[in-house]
């Protein structure tokens, strides 16, 4: 199968792509079609590696308002609302909602998802459901599962054992939530516990780290130090890190050296943290999104996540990563021409590093033929005009498509 005239990752030169046996067999200018080979002319449209949702909570998706709405819009009321919903969880309920959400994501070109699954549940119902879904959906969506202790590791009954059980059930990644633990001491101990659990079981780490507007929330320095000392480096990710927005600059200057040495990844969730943070401020109100521009300038890997699809923490969400990027660029003031053109990296190549996909990902000969084609000539236009993903191919198989809407002024 031959795709002609693709604009691969904003390249000014159009290339052709031959797909064979589910892999990119050849990528070059002007490849001649073999006799009888199926040919699709992309006519200069943008072709990107598939979108990656590097941070979402699939177990909580599509539950907003059930049984109560989050009225204050804070993270902490969200956790209370979810705790009520958690009492009603069944495996069938989780699977039905996740099946719907994953299809919303796939229709928008997402093929890889890292989902945080709440393990502060004595029955581990959602974890069991997600482990099954990871296998059932694997031809369409690669799901990576984080054992995420929403109500704490030290501050929740039997919290450590639940984390161990979740890892033994097959979680891919170990999480933590230092800013939710009762004390600073618990916070540090929870991080040491989580990172050592990951190291012992050869798992990745992704911590909900300092998701609070408290400038004294300093879980990040512990995460980075342990990543360095245990030589886990880029197997470790700090998500949210919204307190960094409020850190004083002298502290950030000192911290940056450690962050670079540690090689850890960052995930920012600009849509949701713009909504959740700054809620205890009057005016001026903090934006509360981590320092994406400065981290990026220092060569540190940052990706963007959606975080939520219609749940106690976010009353909107449709599985489309476009709005995440759009908000991310605005709130971090990364609005230069190159910033906008290259911003797809936040939901593709940067996220692939965080998920540790290696050579299973990317538009290159010999790799799996997984890609999306957008109805635009480059990512600048795709972002600006909210262009749909016309087709999404995974391992050489089409798994989603869209028909663009036509909007016409009648004068
Ligand atoms: N749980 C949490 O601790 N933080 C979040 N942003 C979400 C769930 C969505
Ligand atoms: Fe999150």
């Amino acid at each position: 199968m031959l795709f002609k005239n693709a604009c691969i990752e904003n390249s000014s030169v159009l290339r052709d792509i031959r797909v064979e046996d589910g892999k990119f067999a050849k990528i070059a200018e002007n490849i001649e079609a073999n006799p009888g080979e199926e040919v699709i002319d992309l006519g200069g449209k943008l072709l990107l590696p598939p979108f990656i949702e590097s941070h979402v909570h699939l177990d909580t998706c599509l539950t907003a308002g059930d049984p109560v709405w989050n009225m204050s819009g804070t993270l902490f009321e969200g956790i209370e609302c979810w705790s009520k919903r958690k009492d009603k969880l069944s495996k069938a309920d989780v699977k039905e909602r996740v099946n719907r959400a994953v299809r919303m994501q796939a229709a928008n070109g997402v093929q890889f998802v890292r989902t945080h699954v709440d393990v502060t549940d004595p029955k581990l119902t959602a974890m069991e459901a997600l482990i099954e879904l990871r296998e059932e959906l694997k031809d369409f969506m690669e799901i990576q599962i984080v054992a995420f202790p929403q109500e704490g590791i030290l501050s929740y009954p039997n919290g450590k054992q639940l984390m161990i059980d979740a890892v033994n059930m097959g979680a891919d990644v170990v999480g933590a939530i230092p800013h939710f633990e009762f004390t600073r001491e618990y916070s540090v101990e929870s991080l040491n516990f989580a990172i050592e659990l990951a190291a012992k079981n050869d798992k990745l780490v992704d911590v909900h780290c300092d998701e609070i507007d408290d400038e004294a929330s300093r879980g990040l320095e512990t995460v980075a130090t342990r990543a360095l000392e245990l030589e886990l480096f880029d197997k470790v990710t700090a998500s949210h890190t919204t307190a960094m927005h409020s850190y004083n600059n002298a502290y950030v200057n000192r911290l940056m050296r450690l962050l670079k040495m540690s090689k850890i990844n960052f995930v920012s969730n600009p849509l949701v943290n713009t909504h959740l943070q700054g809620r205890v401020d009057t005016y001026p109100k903090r934006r509360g999104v981590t320092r994406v521009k400065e981290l990026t300038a220092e060569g540190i890997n940052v990706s963007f996540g959606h975080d939520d699809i219609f749940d106690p923490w976010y009353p909107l969400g449709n599985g489309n990563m476009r709005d995440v990027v759009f908000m991310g660029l605005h709130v971090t003031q990364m609005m230069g021409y190159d910033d906008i053109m290259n911003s797809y990296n936040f939901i593709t190549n940067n996220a692939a590093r965080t998920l540790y996909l290696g050579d299973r990902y990317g538009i290159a000969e010999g790799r799996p033929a997984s890609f999306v084609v957008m109805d635009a000539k480059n990512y600048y236009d795709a972002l600006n005009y909210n262009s749909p993903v016309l087709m999404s191919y995974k391992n050489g198989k089409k798994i989603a498509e869209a028909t663009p809407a036509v909007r016409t002024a009648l004068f």
Side-chain angles (χ1 to χ4, degrees):
M1 185 172 198
L2 187 62
F3 293 87
K4 301 279 297 175
N5 300 311
C7 167
I8 302 173
E9 299 199 39
N10 294 329
S11 164
S12 51
V13 179
L14 301 184
R15 291 196 177 79
D16 300 344
I17 297 179
R18 171 165 289 132
V19 172
E20 269 170 10
D21 301 326
K23 298 241 160 62
F24 291 121
K26 187 169 179 180
I27 302 173
E29 288 173 60
N30 301 315
I31 303 175
E32 284 286 313
N34 292 326
E37 186 174 23
E38 185 184 350
V39 178
I40 297 177
D41 188 356
L42 299 179
K45 298 230 185 279
L46 175 66
L47 187 146
L48 295 175
F51 294 137
I52 300 174
E53 168 59 276
S54 56
H55 186 121
V56 72
H57 299 252
L58 287 179
D59 57 337
T60 64
C61 71
L62 304 171
T63 64
D66 177 11
V68 286
W69 291 94
N70 180 346
M71 300 307 286
S72 66
T74 60
L75 166 66
F76 295 91
E77 188 176 333
I79 295 172
E80 279 177 49
C81 297
W82 172 243
S83 189
K84 294 191 177 82
R85 181 60 174 76
K86 207 161 31 173
D87 291 340
K88 299 198 295 180
L89 279 186
S90 70
K91 203 160 79 178
D93 156 46
V94 177
K95 289 182 87 163
E96 187 277 324
R97 287 184 287 104
V98 175
N99 266 303
R100 271 192 287 148
V102 160
R103 281 161 181 78
M104 290 159 72
Q105 295 173 318
N108 289 295
V110 175
Q111 294 186 15
F112 299 83
V113 174
R114 174 177 284 184
T115 178
H116 298 255
V117 180
D118 185 3
V119 298
T120 50
D121 163 12
K123 295 210 248 355
L124 294 173
T125 303
M127 180 56 69
E128 207 181 306
L130 261 300
I131 298 270
E132 289 181 16
L133 287 161
R134 181 177 62 187
E135 180 61 25
E136 288 162 16
L137 291 165
K138 70 175 191 299
D139 292 341
F140 310 100
M141 190 68 76
E142 184 171 323
I143 298 177
Q144 218 173 64
I145 298 172
V146 186
F148 168 55
Q150 178 67 80
E151 297 185 53
I153 296 176
L154 277 290
S155 312
Y156 187 80
N158 212 24
K160 283 186 176 176
Q161 190 57 48
L162 288 166
M163 291 291 290
I164 293 167
D165 291 349
V167 166
N168 289 338
M169 283 169 76
D172 306 291
V173 187
V174 179
I177 185 162
H179 53 278
F180 193 79
E181 301 287 354
F182 292 145
T183 67
R184 214 160 26 85
E185 289 77 9
Y186 279 13
S187 157
V188 173
E189 190 183 334
S190 74
L191 290 171
N192 284 329
F193 170 81
I195 295 175
E196 278 160 26
L197 180 64
K200 224 183 301 165
N201 291 277
D202 196 22
K203 303 290 180 187
L204 302 173
V205 175
D206 192 335
V207 174
H208 273 65
C209 197
D210 307 316
E211 190 186 8
I212 189 166
D213 296 319
D214 173 8
E215 65 100 22
S217 187
R218 304 275 166 102
L220 179 56
E221 62 184 24
T222 302
V223 170
T225 300
R226 300 303 287 155
L228 177 66
E229 290 174 350
L230 292 176
E231 298 184 358
L232 294 175
F233 301 118
D234 60 348
K235 289 184 174 164
V236 175
T237 296
S239 281
H240 295 292
T241 62
T242 59
M244 194 199 273
H245 187 98
S246 299
Y247 289 168
N248 67 75
N249 289 338
Y251 176 67
V252 173
N253 277 353
R254 191 259 277 183
L255 179 65
M256 212 49 106
R257 173 173 173 267
L258 168 65
L259 297 180
K260 281 193 283 189
M261 288 167 71
S262 75
K263 300 189 174 65
I264 64 169
N265 308 293
F266 283 76
V267 181
S268 175
N269 300 292
L271 214 47
V272 166
N273 284 127
T274 306
H275 159 60
L276 295 176
Q277 306 314 127
R279 291 285 180 165
V280 296
D281 293 352
T282 52
Y283 288 94
K285 274 184 203 282
R286 284 168 286 181
R287 297 171 180 206
V289 171
T290 197
R291 302 191 188 199
V292 177
K293 190 186 237 175
E294 293 72 15
L295 290 166
T296 301
E298 292 285 355
I300 293 169
N301 185 46
V302 184
S303 66
F304 284 163
H306 203 313
D307 206 13
D308 302 279
I309 301 173
F310 191 73
D311 73 7
W313 296 275
Y314 191 59
L316 301 171
N318 54 16
N320 188 344
M321 300 306 289
R322 181 267 181 184
D323 290 352
V324 176
V325 176
F326 195 75
M327 174 61 87
L329 295 184
H330 283 78
V331 77
T332 62
Q333 299 185 326
M334 296 180 77
M335 298 288 271
Y337 178 82
D338 289 340
D339 290 333
I340 294 171
M341 191 63 110
N342 295 326
S343 59
Y344 69 92
N345 283 296
F346 286 120
I347 54 167
T348 56
N349 296 311
N350 297 6
R353 287 173 62 183
T354 296
L355 268 67
Y356 232 72
L357 298 181
D359 59 12
R360 291 191 291 120
Y361 183 85
I363 312 295
E365 289 176 3
R367 296 193 183 188
S370 299
F371 59 93
V372 296
V373 176
M374 301 196 73
D375 189 24
K377 68 177 192 299
N378 58 37
Y379 195 69
Y380 198 110
D381 280 8
L383 189 73
N384 194 27
Y385 296 112
N386 202 353
S387 306
V389 169
L390 293 176
M391 41 188 125
S392 175
Y393 278 81
K394 190 166 183 67
N395 299 317
K397 210 173 83 186
K398 200 202 257 191
I399 63 159
E401 62 187 359
T403 313
V406 179
R407 302 174 197 198
T408 311
L410 297 177
F411 59 89

